[in-house]
Amino acid sequence: METTTITPPGFGLERDAFGRLVLTDAQGQRHVGVAPVRAFPLSAPGEGISLVGGEGRELVWIDRVDQLPSAARALLEEELAVRDFAPTLLKLHAVSSFGVPSTWTVSTDRGDTRFVLKAEEDIRRLEHGALLIASAHGVQFRIADLKALDRASRKLLERFL
């Protein structure tokens, strides 16, 4: 099946009784268990969304989420929120050592937690002073702006940059 770029409302989205996302394409065919995938999750999260079928093929390309009807947009954003779990790091309280691996104690927008940083390469610099830190368990912690952190947090973090 070919990828289709559809101008809304050329398709429908709904949840089935099992909570799976169901796409009804322009030909009326139902695709159960589709997954939305962002093309640019950090730099343009509301643009370029692919709806991928259970067999891994792209079924629909959505240029902009804000062009969708409100019900479809709400379902899509709900599904993406589950897939894109990336807490924002607000404060760095302590690190177990300045070598790696080290255990970090932090506050995030989802609460306080601890995680292990395996290697310094797990801290990625992004545009506009943002950082992405990958824990040993694969959780991605975001820092939107390094300069917005408090002085003590910046001082601890600078030892790893």
Side-chain angles (χ1 to χ4, degrees), residues 13 35 62 103 115-116:
L13 283 177
I62 301 167
T103 302
F115 67 88
V116 174

Side-chain angles (χ1 to χ4, degrees), residues 4-13 23-28 60-62 64 66-73:
T4 308
T5 300
I6 297 177
T7 303
F11 64 91
L13 283 177
L23 166 76
T24 303
D25 64 23
Q27 292 75 35
V60 173
W61 177 261
I62 301 167
R64 297 182 53 89
D66 61 5
Q67 294 174 341
L68 294 174
S70 60
R73 183 174 56 242

Side-chain angles (χ1 to χ4, degrees), residues 3 10 12-14 18 22 33 48 50 56 61-62 76 82-84 86 88 103 108 113 117 128 152-153 155:
T3 298
L13 283 177
E14 62 183 335
F18 300 103
V22 178
S50 176
W61 177 261
I62 301 167
L76 190 61
V82 171
R83 291 177 56 87
D84 293 345
T88 300
T103 302
T108 73
T113 191
L117 180 72
H128 311 295
S153 296
K155 189 173 181 177

